[in-house]
Amino acid sequence: MTIFKPVLLTAAFALGATAASAQEERFMTIGTGGQTGVYYVVGQSICRLVNRDTATTGIKCTAPSTGGSVANVNAIKAGDMTMGVAQSDIQYHAYNGSSPEFEGDKKFENLRAVFSVHPEPFTVVARKDANIATFDDLKGKRVNVGNPGSGQLATMEVVLGAKGWTMGDFALASQLKPAEQAAALGDNTVDAIIYTVGHPNGSIQEATSTVEANLVPVEGPEIDALVEENPYYAKAVIPSGMYAGSDADTNTFGVKATFVTSADVPEDMVYEVVKAVFDNFDRFKGLHPAFANLTPESMVGEGNSAPLHPGAEKYYREQGWIQ
Ligand code: GLU
C-alpha cells in the first residue's frame, strides 16, 4: 500500500494542475476514524463525491484515518482538519464545554454541525470463554476501553461514571485502536472490546469470526437514566443474526455519527460538500450498509446540537428541508 502512495499522489497533483485553470485549487481534509470502522468510509465516500466536481469547484478532498471523534474535533479546532466525523455526544460536549475532554479553553464554540449520519450503538463484544453475559460481568476482566481520542473511550468513561465504577474495576483497561482490538480478542490478550460504531462493520465481523464471541447487552436503570437525561443518547438494538454467535437482539444505547466543521470554514466550501452528498444521495447511501436507512430529513434534523454551518443551511433551505 505505502509503496503506491507517492505514485497516486503525483497522479492526483498532475490532474489537479490541469483543473486549476478553471478554478483555484483548494484542499480540504476530513477527519475519520480507524480503517476498520465506518467513519473512514463516511470520509472516503464524501471525498469521492466532492472530488468528482474538482474541475468546476477546485476543491480536492482527502480523508485520512485518525483516532476518532475527540481527535477529529480537536484537529478541526486547531485548523489541522477542515471537517470531520464525531459522535453526537462529542459534538454536544465540544460545543458546550461540558465534558472533561472539552472543559475550559478546550471548549469549541466555533464548532458547526453539517449533518448527522448513521446510528452508532455502544457495542461490547466478549470472548465466549470469558462468560460475560451482562455489562456487570465485565468487572475484574481485561477490557479494551478504546484508544485515546476515540468516541468509545469518552462514552465508556460516561458509562463507568453512571455505574459508579472506574477503570480500576477492570483487571486490565487497554487502549488499543479499533484495527488492533479484534486480533487482541482472538489472541486472548483481552476478554472484551468496546466500540461505538455503525453496523454492520468489518471490525465487529472480524472479532466475531476469529473467535467464539458474544455481543453483551448494555442496559439497566443507569443506562435508562443516561438516555432520559441526555438528548444525544438513544436506546439502540443490534439485530440478531448480524454477526456470528448473536442469535438474539442485543439491547444497548447509542449515539449518532455526525459530520461537523468550524465556523471559520468558508460558506461556499461547506455548500459544495453538502451539495455533492445530497445531489448524489442514492450513490452515497450505496457506499456502506450502515447508510441504508438514511434520509435527508433525519440527517438535517437529528443528532446535531451545535448550530448548522451557514453553507449547509443554504443548501437545506434551497431544498425546503429547513425554513
Ligand atoms: N465512534 C467512533 C469514534 O468516535 C468511531 C467509529 C467509526 O470509526 O466508525 O471514535
Side-chain angles (χ1 to χ4, degrees):
M1 276 297 270
T2 2
I3 306 172
F4 290 109
K5 255 190 191 153
V7 180
L8 285 175
L9 279 177
T10 318
F13 279 121
L15 281 177
T18 7
S21 49
Q23 265 285 349
E24 192 195 332
E25 240 177 49
R26 289 183 297 168
F27 292 89
M28 58 167 282
T29 46
I30 297 176
T32 64
Q35 279 168 346
T36 51
V38 185
Y39 285 13
Y40 189 68
V41 184
V42 172
Q44 294 289 320
S45 304
I46 293 172
C47 279
R48 190 191 290 195
L49 297 175
V50 168
N51 289 340
R52 279 157 43 109
D53 297 330
T54 305
T56 48
T57 64
I59 302 172
K60 299 184 76 173
C61 180
T62 51
S65 167
T66 70
S69 289
V70 176
N72 294 342
V73 168
N74 286 334
I76 296 169
K77 183 168 188 267
D80 295 336
M81 294 263 173
T82 322
M83 301 184 189
V85 195
Q87 293 180 189
S88 49
D89 54 347
I90 303 300
Q91 180 186 140
Y92 181 96
H93 289 309
Y95 181 70
N96 293 293
S98 50
S99 72
E101 296 87 6
F102 300 105
E103 267 167 13
D105 60 4
K106 287 183 275 172
K107 177 174 171 174
F108 185 16
E109 272 169 74
N110 268 350
L111 182 66
R112 292 293 176 267
V114 182
F115 50 74
S116 64
V117 209
H118 55 281
E120 299 190 273
F122 183 77
T123 306
V124 181
V125 185
R127 291 176 61 93
K128 268 253 154 66
D129 60 12
N131 293 317
I132 298 168
T134 67
F135 191 88
D136 287 356
D137 295 335
L138 289 173
K139 218 171 220 183
K141 302 287 186 179
R142 301 163 304 162
V143 181
N144 192 60
V145 294
N147 60 287
S150 72
Q152 48 274 8
L153 178 59
T155 308
M156 182 64 167
E157 305 260 17
V158 172
V159 174
L160 294 185
K163 287 199 139 313
W165 298 12
T166 68
M167 291 291 176
D169 283 305
F170 301 122
L172 170 76
S174 61
Q175 301 197 335
L176 298 172
K177 294 178 185 168
E180 300 161 339
Q181 64 179 358
L185 194 74
D187 293 345
N188 202 9
T189 29
V190 294
D191 298 305
I193 61 173
I194 310 288
Y195 203 5
T196 314
V197 67
H199 294 288
N201 69 79
S203 180
I204 304 297
Q205 246 145 17
E206 189 191 342
T208 50
S209 57
T210 47
V211 64
E212 265 204 274
N214 59 286
L215 293 174
V216 180
V218 184
E219 54 190 354
E222 298 91 351
I223 302 300
D224 291 345
L226 278 182
V227 171
E228 244 157 65
E229 287 158 18
N230 299 296
Y232 42 79
Y233 290 140
K235 290 276 175 73
V237 175
I238 306 166
S240 69
M242 189 167 262
Y243 299 105
S246 86
D247 40 21
D249 286 355
T250 304
N251 293 329
T252 181
F253 78 110
V255 292
K256 270 207 170 191
T258 70
F259 191 52
V260 296
T261 188
S262 160
D264 294 336
V265 173
E267 182 175 322
D268 70 308
M269 185 178 258
V270 177
Y271 179 87
E272 292 298 347
V273 171
V274 168
K275 182 170 159 44
V277 170
F278 289 105
D279 281 3
N280 301 288
F281 194 53
D282 286 339
R283 185 185 288 256
F284 177 76
K285 281 206 319 188
L287 292 171
H288 196 284
F291 306 158
N293 298 322
L294 296 181
T295 62
E297 290 72 17
S298 65
M299 293 168 75
V300 174
E302 294 169 13
N304 297 317
S305 40
L308 281 175
H309 189 283
E313 238 169 20
K314 183 175 170 212
Y315 184 87
Y316 302 153
R317 221 170 259 134
E318 285 171 4
Q319 300 298 316
W321 297 338
I322 58 170
Q323 293 300 306

